[in-house]
Amino acid sequence: QSALTQAASVSGSPGQSITISCTGSSSDIGNYNLVSWYQQHPGKAPKLIIFEVTKRPSGVSQRFSASKSGNTASLKISGLRSEDEADYYCCSHAGMKTPWVFGGGTRVTVL
Amino acid sequence: QVQLQESGPGPVKPSETLSLTCTVSNGPIRHYLWAWLRQPPGKGLEWLGSIYHNGTTTHNPSLKSRLTMSVDTSNNQVSLKMSSMRPADTAVYYCARSPFFDYYFDYWGRGTLVTVPS
C-alpha cells in the first residue's frame, strides 16, 4: 500500500486536458513543497517532469503543469497527445527518516 | 549528460544476498544523494535507501536491517547489498540521483531486473 494515493487510471481524448491527483497527509505533501512527478513509459525508467511542486526541468513540455493545495498535489496535462500515454507517479519528501514516499501510479490512456 | 548504469546478477536464489553496483558517468558523485529504488512487475515505485558521498545513509524502515550501501568516490560508484532475498523482492532495481536537500530524482539508471525464484 502506497503512502500517497492516486487514481489507478485516467483517460482523455487527444487535445483534451486531464488532471491527476495525489493525496497524502500533513506529514508529507502538506508539510513540504517538495513534490515531484515522474512519467514512465512501458519498459523504461521513470523520467522527472515536475519538481518542487510546480517546476519543470529543462526540456519538459509546457503542457505539463502542477500545483498543490493542502495535502493534495495535482498534475495537469494539457493538449493531450498519444505520447503522453504512460504511467505517472507522484512523490513527496516526508522527513529525514523517510526522504521519499510515492503514490501508486496513475495510468494515462489517450483514447 | 549524466548517465547511471546498474549492474547486477540477474537471478538470485532465495536467502542469498543481492549485490548491485551503480556506475555514474559524466558527472560527480559528490554533493548529491544517491538512491536505490525498486519496482515489482506491474507495480509502483518504492524507495529502498540512499547514501551521500560521505557515506551517510538513510534506509526505508521496512528494509533497514537487510540493506547495506556504500559509495566509492574514486570509481564513481555506489553499491547496494540486500540480504535474505525472497521471491517478493523480484523487481526492477533502479539507482537514481537527487540534488541534496531538494529531494527529487533528476537522473535514473535504466534499471536491472532481479528475479528471485520461488
Side-chain angles (χ1 to χ4, degrees), chain A residues 2 9-10 16-17 21 30 36 41-42 48-49 66 69 94-96 106-107:
Chain A
S2 302
S9 62
V10 172
Q16 285 187 331
S17 296
S21 294
S36 52
H41 288 106
L48 176 70
I49 56 172
S69 177
M96 297 305 292
T106 297
R107 175 151 297 177

Side-chain angles (χ1 to χ4, degrees), chain A residues 22-45:
Chain A
C22 172
T23 301
S25 70
S26 58
S27 298
D28 38 65
I29 292 176
N31 199 33
Y32 304 96
N33 288 322
L34 293 170
V35 178
S36 52
W37 290 88
Y38 302 87
Q39 177 192 60
Q40 186 180 34
H41 288 106
K44 301 293 188 181

Side-chain angles (χ1 to χ4, degrees), chain A residues 15-77:
Chain A
Q16 285 187 331
S17 296
I18 62 170
T19 299
I20 301 168
S21 294
C22 172
T23 301
S25 70
S26 58
S27 298
D28 38 65
I29 292 176
N31 199 33
Y32 304 96
N33 288 322
L34 293 170
V35 178
S36 52
W37 290 88
Y38 302 87
Q39 177 192 60
Q40 186 180 34
H41 288 106
K44 301 293 188 181
K47 173 190 174 184
L48 176 70
I49 56 172
I50 295 287
F51 66 101
E52 294 175 0
V53 182
T54 61
K55 299 177 181 178
R56 275 188 313 273
S58 174
V60 172
S61 172
Q62 293 181 344
R63 297 185 300 105
F64 294 96
S65 61
S67 61
K68 186 188 89 165
S69 177
N71 297 336
T72 299
S74 300
L75 173 72
K76 181 178 180 180
I77 309 176

